[in-house]
Structures are given as C-alpha cells and as structure tokens.
C-alpha cells in the first residue's frame, strides 16, 4: 500500500488472514488502543517507530516493522510501559498479548496488508 489511510483490512501472515485496523492519521495513532478492553485482530500504526502503554487496560504484543513490512522485533508490553524507538521501524503492529506467537509473527517474518474487498 502506497498511501496509508485510516480504515480496516486484512493482515496476512503466511496463509493466515487476521482482521486489521489501520491508524494512519495523527488522531487515530494517538488514540490507538486506549480506552479499549481488547482488540479483535490487530492494529497497525503508521508511521510509527515506538509506542507506550500508559492508560492501557491490557497487555499487548508489539511488532516493529520496516518499510517492506518485515518484522524487526516483537515485544510484549504490560500496561504503563514506554517502548523505546526502534531504528529502521516505519510501522508498529499491536495485538493482544500472545497473539503474535500464535500467528507466527517473529523477527524476520514478512507480513502483507490487504485493503477490504470492495
């Protein structure tokens, strides 16, 4: 995807399709998962190279992605934490804690983002 916009889509990891919410505007990135009790699927923050979990109600998995959507690192963050910026990270993928391991998202993996079907 060349121009990122707020909306929904599908995250493809191998043969697995995961519901995806895209937060590309400043307002959507700032809001992120704050105030939610969970997330169905994943949230992609773009552009972003770091996140925090201040005000969050649940632990999350965070995957840092480069421009080609290759995973640079995956971390689990409890509420009230500050993640340091990752060099080369262009996007951040967030999901409930444990989801990334189930989906097979790990450093070096490549993911794909598909817009919703028309």
């Amino acid at each position: 995807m060349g121009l990122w916009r707020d909306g929904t889509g599908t995250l493809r990891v191998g043969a697995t399709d995961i519901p995806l919410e895209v937060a590309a505007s400043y307002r959507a990135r700032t809001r992120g998962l704050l105030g939610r009790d969970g997330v169905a699927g994943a949230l992609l923050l773009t552009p972003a190279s770091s996140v925090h979990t201040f005000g969050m109600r649940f632990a999350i998995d965070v995957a840092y992605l480069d421009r080609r959507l290759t995973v640079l690192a995956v971390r689990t963050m409890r509420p009230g934490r500050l993640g340091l910026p990752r060099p080369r990270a262009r996007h951040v993928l967030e999901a409930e804690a444990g989801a990334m391991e189930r989906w097979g998202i790990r450093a070096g993996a490549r993911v794909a983002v598909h817009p919703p079907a028309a």
Side-chain angles (χ1 to χ4, degrees):
M1 293 179 77
L3 180 62
W4 295 92
R5 296 178 190 206
D6 293 345
T8 61
T10 303
L11 177 71
R12 179 162 288 165
V13 182
T16 305
D17 286 343
I18 300 149
L20 180 70
E21 183 180 337
V22 177
S25 69
Y26 176 78
R27 183 177 181 157
R29 287 192 318 270
T30 302
R31 185 178 58 245
L33 295 175
L34 295 175
R36 299 188 195 186
D37 291 321
V39 58
L43 173 67
L44 180 72
L45 304 171
T46 181
S49 62
S50 67
V51 295
H52 68 82
T53 57
F54 298 117
M56 300 272 306
R57 298 177 181 167
F58 57 98
I60 60 172
D61 283 346
V62 178
Y64 299 90
L65 312 174
D66 68 8
R67 290 180 185 272
R68 300 178 67 202
L69 301 180
T70 300
V71 178
L72 301 172
V74 178
R75 298 288 181 260
T76 300
M77 294 177 65
R78 295 188 324 236
R81 303 289 186 237
L82 177 64
L84 297 175
R86 297 281 170 173
R88 296 184 13 243
R90 177 68 177 166
H91 316 280
V92 175
L93 188 64
E94 298 179 341
E96 288 190 13
M100 304 255 179
E101 185 176 350
R102 285 193 311 274
W103 298 334
I105 296 177
R106 63 184 64 77
R110 188 104 184 253
V111 300
V113 174
H114 301 283

